[in-house]
């Protein structure tokens, strides 16, 4: 079984809809991250969480919100989706205090906003 | 803020060496990383180098770090078709900053 899972894997939605992307991990890691990947722009950090009570904005948090429901779960919401949020979204985890800070990625969610 | 830059594409002939280059801005990073993304998958850590080293070799992979110029490179010897992927340079300690990724394609 995969250590970091994301649901759904693909989603097509319309402008203005609320969307939630979910991430679960069985690695027991404290730290979780949400990134989006766009061609030519690499990965950009949306939000990250270093433990259940800790939520931090990344470089592109506008239009997104997150919830860390448990150590193993970190969900990303788009309150009112817009077409420029069409992208590939990745969840990642890492372990507190390990060196190097290796991040473990889920398989990604491809989101299309029409 | 921190920035990591790399070229978007590289094409090499099968059996040749591939060299992927990267420049970064944050000189305080303890580690620098190379991640590999195969088609349809998430990123996986390929290799990393501690910031006080200037070279690391791991089988077909050689990482070179020039701290003065803030330049990192990844050399893949005897490039094979299975090396086709996007390679991301990254830096950081608790928060990781990724480059745009270099898509490596292999010619027969």
């Amino acid at each position: 079984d995969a250590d970091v899972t994301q649901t759904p894997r693909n989603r097509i939605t319309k402008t203005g809809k609320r969307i939630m992307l979910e991430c679960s991990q069985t690695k027991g890691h404290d730290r979780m991250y949400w990134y989006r990947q766009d061609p030519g722009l690499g990965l950009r950090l949306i939000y990250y969480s270093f433990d259940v009570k800790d939520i931090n904005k990344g470089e592109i948090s506008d239009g997104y919100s997150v919830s860390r429901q448990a150590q193993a779960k970190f969900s990303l919401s788009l309150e009112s989706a817009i077409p420029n949020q069409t992208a590939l979204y990745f969840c990642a985890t890492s372990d507190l205090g390990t060196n190097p800070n290796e991040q473990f990625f889920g398989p990604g969610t491809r989101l299309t906003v029409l | 803020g921190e920035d990591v830059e790399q070229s978007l594409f590289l094409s090499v002939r099968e059996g040749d060496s591939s060299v992927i280059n990267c420049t970064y801005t944050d000189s305080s990073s303890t580690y620098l990383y190379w991640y590999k993304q195969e088609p349809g998958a998430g990123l996986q850590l390929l290799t990393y180098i501690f910031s006080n080293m200037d070279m690391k070799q791991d089988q077909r992979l050689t990482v070179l770090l020039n701290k003065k110029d803030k330049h990192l490179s990844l050399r893949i010897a005897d490039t094979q078709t299975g090396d086709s992927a996007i390679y991301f340079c990254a830096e950081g300690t608790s928060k990781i900053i990724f480059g745009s990724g270099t898509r490596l394609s292999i010619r027969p």
Side-chain angles (χ1 to χ4, degrees), chain A residues 25-100:
Chain A
Q25 52 116 346
T26 58
K27 299 188 78 67
H29 288 170
D30 289 307
R31 299 179 174 189
M32 298 187 75
Y33 311 80
W34 275 105
Y35 294 91
R36 66 177 277 176
Q37 182 180 18
D38 298 276
L41 294 177
L43 265 70
R44 292 182 291 167
L45 183 62
I46 306 172
Y47 271 95
Y48 61 103
S49 168
F50 283 175
D51 65 40
V52 174
K53 295 177 182 173
D54 175 74
I55 300 289
N56 304 282
K57 291 183 178 181
E59 59 180 308
I60 54 161
S61 58
D62 287 350
Y64 301 94
S65 62
V66 290
S67 174
R68 185 83 185 265
Q69 301 95 321
Q71 188 205 36
K73 295 184 182 297
F74 192 36
S75 59
L76 176 72
S77 293
L78 288 68
E79 296 301 325
S80 179
I82 56 176
N84 78 0
Q85 291 177 312
T86 293
L88 191 52
Y89 290 84
F90 286 102
C91 174
T93 75
S94 68
D95 199 9
L96 175 66
T98 58
N99 288 308

